[in-house]
Amino acid sequence: MANRPAFDLNSPLRCETRANEKSRHLRHDGAGLDFQIVTAAAALNEHKFRLDSYVFCENGVWNYGGTALHDHAAFTDLSVKDILVKSSNIGAAKLAVSLGDQKFYEYIRRFGFGERTGIELPGEIPGLSGRRNRE
């Protein structure tokens, strides 16, 4: 996945740090924005929300299920579009809750999480998708 003229496939460790960052998708760095996109797509597809629907994002801290979820800023009401633009963890979590566990899990699987890509990337792992007797 190199895309720089100075990248030497025979010496990948000698590449510039910036070029090396391009392959970070080969490492497991957590779901983050990927799951915000999956969550928003699922909520929109299931007609739970529209892009211009608003979600209260709890001023940056939401206690749910005994755990505090944080945003990087104290957001109040965000549209679904702005949940993605501003990367609100709380907004995305509220979209997921609206779907219910089973429906959200179905979308996670339909988007391919928990599966290998099928293109044989070096070091690829299938990932974790919280299978817990849901299939």
Side-chain angles (χ1 to χ4, degrees), residues 10 19 23 25 29 47 51 54-55 57 65 76 91 104 106 110 114 122 126:
N10 296 313
S23 66
H25 63 277
D29 288 336
H47 305 287
L51 275 176
Y54 280 83
V55 175
C57 294
T76 54
F104 185 49
E106 289 170 17
R110 287 167 65 187

Side-chain angles (χ1 to χ4, degrees), residues 6 11 18 36 49 62-63 65 70 72 87 101 108 113 122 130 135:
S11 301
R18 182 105 184 169
Q36 290 176 2
F49 293 89
W62 185 40
N63 291 303
H70 298 269
H72 60 89
S87 193
D101 290 346
I108 290 168
F113 287 90
E135 292 184 279

Side-chain angles (χ1 to χ4, degrees), residues 67-127:
T67 302
L69 186 61
H70 298 269
D71 273 339
H72 60 89
F75 300 125
T76 54
D77 294 313
L78 292 178
S79 67
V80 172
K81 178 183 174 187
D82 283 337
I83 287 170
L84 296 174
V85 169
K86 298 179 185 230
S87 193
S88 170
N89 296 320
I90 294 169
K94 286 188 168 190
L95 298 178
V97 168
S98 78
L99 294 164
D101 290 346
Q102 185 60 40
K103 185 60 71 177
F104 185 49
Y105 179 74
E106 289 170 17
Y107 274 92
I108 290 168
R109 298 300 292 188
R110 287 167 65 187
F111 270 85
F113 287 90
E115 300 291 328
R116 293 178 188 220
T117 62
I119 58 173
E120 300 182 25
L121 293 170
E124 181 183 21
I125 60 171

